[in-house]
Short mmCIF file of all heavy atoms in Angstrom, two decimals:
data_model
loop_
_atom_site.label_atom_id
_atom_site.label_comp_id
_atom_site.label_asym_id
_atom_site.label_seq_id
_atom_site.Cartn_x
_atom_site.Cartn_y
_atom_site.Cartn_z
N SER A 2 9.99 12.80 -5.58
CA SER A 2 9.41 11.77 -4.75
C SER A 2 10.46 10.74 -4.39
O SER A 2 11.09 10.14 -5.25
CB SER A 2 8.27 11.09 -5.51
OG SER A 2 7.78 10.01 -4.77
N GLU A 10 11.25 -4.19 -8.62
CA GLU A 10 11.81 -5.39 -9.25
C GLU A 10 10.78 -6.50 -9.22
O GLU A 10 10.08 -6.70 -8.24
CB GLU A 10 13.07 -5.82 -8.52
CG GLU A 10 14.19 -4.80 -8.61
CD GLU A 10 15.46 -5.28 -7.94
OE1 GLU A 10 15.55 -6.48 -7.61
OE2 GLU A 10 16.35 -4.45 -7.75
N GLY A 56 5.64 15.59 -16.15
CA GLY A 56 5.84 17.03 -16.01
C GLY A 56 6.36 17.35 -14.62
O GLY A 56 6.70 16.46 -13.84
N ARG A 60 0.60 17.79 -9.23
CA ARG A 60 -0.18 16.57 -9.44
C ARG A 60 0.68 15.45 -10.02
O ARG A 60 0.55 14.29 -9.63
CB ARG A 60 -1.36 16.85 -10.35
CG ARG A 60 -2.21 15.61 -10.62
CD ARG A 60 -3.49 15.96 -11.37
NE ARG A 60 -4.14 14.79 -11.88
CZ ARG A 60 -4.89 13.96 -11.18
NH1 ARG A 60 -5.06 14.17 -9.89
NH2 ARG A 60 -5.47 12.92 -11.74
#
Side-chain angles (χ1 to χ4, degrees):
S2 174
E10 296 183 13
R60 179 172 167 80

